């Protein structure tokens, strides 16, 4: 069977409308993961008793298990243990799973960003009468987040790619739709190549946005 570029372009036209689902999964998961990851990083930074041991176990667990195993545990396993999750939809389960997993990675990225800020800055703030809370909010955290930006961008790219696993829970996204189309024509190469092109385009756009954001933040700094 020869490669049919016209068929691939036809598949592209059919699956492009599903791109917003992929983007929504990635953006929602990244936002939640960022909030949770920053909280974990601050717990580690301040060495809060009990909580620091709990987050250490959390990070170890979610960095160790494959994403697809985690999604299955959440979508198929949780309802058996906690019936309240029985009405959870595949979209919610995917966002929850990707958020919990990537929060573990982001927490280490944020922690590295916090450690990269010179301790002397906090000492200088205290010396001129600035509170620790104000110093963290307006001086330490902005610098830490800027230093963590490359790692955050890489994580977001990973989330975009991992969102394709949503099809395993029955959610129809880019990959799932292409799979359905390919199963009818048996032209799997063209269909999956169309998916690859869209993901490639999304990552290229994300990379360009990251570069512009880094340039802007450098000027602001």
């Amino acid at each position: 069977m020869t490669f049919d570029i016209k068929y691939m372009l036809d598949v592209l036209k059919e699956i492009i409308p599903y791109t917003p689902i992929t983007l929504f999964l990635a953006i929602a998961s990244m936002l939640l993961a960022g909030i949770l990851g920053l909280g974990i990083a601050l717990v580690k930074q301040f060495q809060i008793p009990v909580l620091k041991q709990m987050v250490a176990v959390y990070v170890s667990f979610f960095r160790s298990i494959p994403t697809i195993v985690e999604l299955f545990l959440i979508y198929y396993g949780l309802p058996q243990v906690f019936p309240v999750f029985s009405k959870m939809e595949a979209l919610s389960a995917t966002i929850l799973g990707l958020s919990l997993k990537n929060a573990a990675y982001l927490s280490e990225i944020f922690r590295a960003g916090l450690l990269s800020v010179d301790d002397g800055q906090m000492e200088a703030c205290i010396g001129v009468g600035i509170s620790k809370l104000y110093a963290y909010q307006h001086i330490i955290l902005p610098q830490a987040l800027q230093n963590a930006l490359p790692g955050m961008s890489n994580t977001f790219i990973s989330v975009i790619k991992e969102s394709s696993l949503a099809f395993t829970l029955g959610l129809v996204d880019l990959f799932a739709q292409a799979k359905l189309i390919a199963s009818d024509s048996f032209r799997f190469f063209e269909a999956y190549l169309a998916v690859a092109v869209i993901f490639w385009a999304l990552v290229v756009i994300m990379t360009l946005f990251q570069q512009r954001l880094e340039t802007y933040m450098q000027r602001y700094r």
Side-chain angles (χ1 to χ4, degrees):
M1 185 178 292
T2 58
F3 177 74
D4 189 344
I5 189 170
K6 182 179 180 302
Y7 180 79
M8 189 196 81
L9 295 175
D10 291 338
V11 173
L12 267 175
K13 293 177 183 178
E14 290 191 48
I15 65 175
I16 281 178
Y18 293 87
T19 304
I21 298 176
T22 296
L23 289 175
F24 176 75
L25 282 171
I27 294 172
S29 300
M30 188 65 184
L31 287 175
L32 293 175
I35 295 171
L36 181 57
L38 182 58
I40 293 172
L42 291 174
V43 167
K44 289 186 174 183
Q45 180 74 3
F46 291 114
Q47 293 292 297
I48 302 176
V50 182
L51 284 180
K52 68 177 183 179
Q53 286 83 5
M54 294 174 63
V55 298
V57 173
Y58 172 92
V59 171
S60 175
F61 178 76
F62 282 102
R63 290 178 66 184
S64 301
I65 62 173
T67 304
I68 192 170
V69 173
E70 182 196 352
L71 292 178
F72 277 33
L73 281 172
I74 292 173
Y75 190 61
Y76 297 111
L78 277 183
Q80 296 181 1
V81 181
F82 304 102
V84 69
F85 289 101
S86 59
K87 295 183 180 180
M88 181 168 52
E89 298 179 351
L91 180 67
S92 302
T94 304
I95 292 174
L96 178 60
L98 294 179
S99 300
L100 292 175
K101 181 178 182 63
N102 288 283
Y105 289 99
L106 284 173
S107 68
E108 293 300 301
I109 294 172
F110 289 142
R111 189 168 70 93
L114 289 169
L115 292 174
S116 68
V117 180
D118 190 356
D119 292 337
Q121 296 195 38
M122 177 59 76
E123 295 173 1
C125 290
I126 296 174
V128 296
I130 298 176
S131 67
K132 285 188 176 181
L133 179 60
Y134 186 92
Y136 260 97
Q137 288 180 339
H138 299 279
I139 299 172
I140 306 299
L141 278 180
Q143 293 181 70
L145 291 176
Q146 181 176 340
N147 295 337
L149 183 59
M152 293 168 60
S153 300
N154 287 334
T155 301
F156 185 50
I157 288 172
S158 296
V159 173
I160 292 175
K161 294 184 291 185
E162 286 182 332
S163 67
S164 62
L165 291 174
F167 91 97
T168 61
L169 305 185
L171 185 66
V172 180
D173 64 342
L174 276 173
F175 184 76
Q177 184 62 20
K179 190 173 184 294
L180 291 172
I181 295 172
S183 63
D184 290 335
S185 62
F186 294 102
R187 288 190 170 272
F188 294 97
F189 182 75
E190 289 91 337
Y192 294 152
L193 184 59
V195 176
V197 168
I198 292 178
F199 275 101
W200 183 22
L202 291 176
V203 171
V204 168
I205 293 171
M206 175 58 203
T207 302
L208 293 174
F209 176 75
Q210 173 197 343
Q211 293 172 352
R212 295 290 297 273
L213 184 59
E214 286 181 347
T215 300
Y216 172 78
M217 293 183 72
Q218 285 292 342
R219 290 177 179 174
Y220 176 77
R221 187 171 184 178

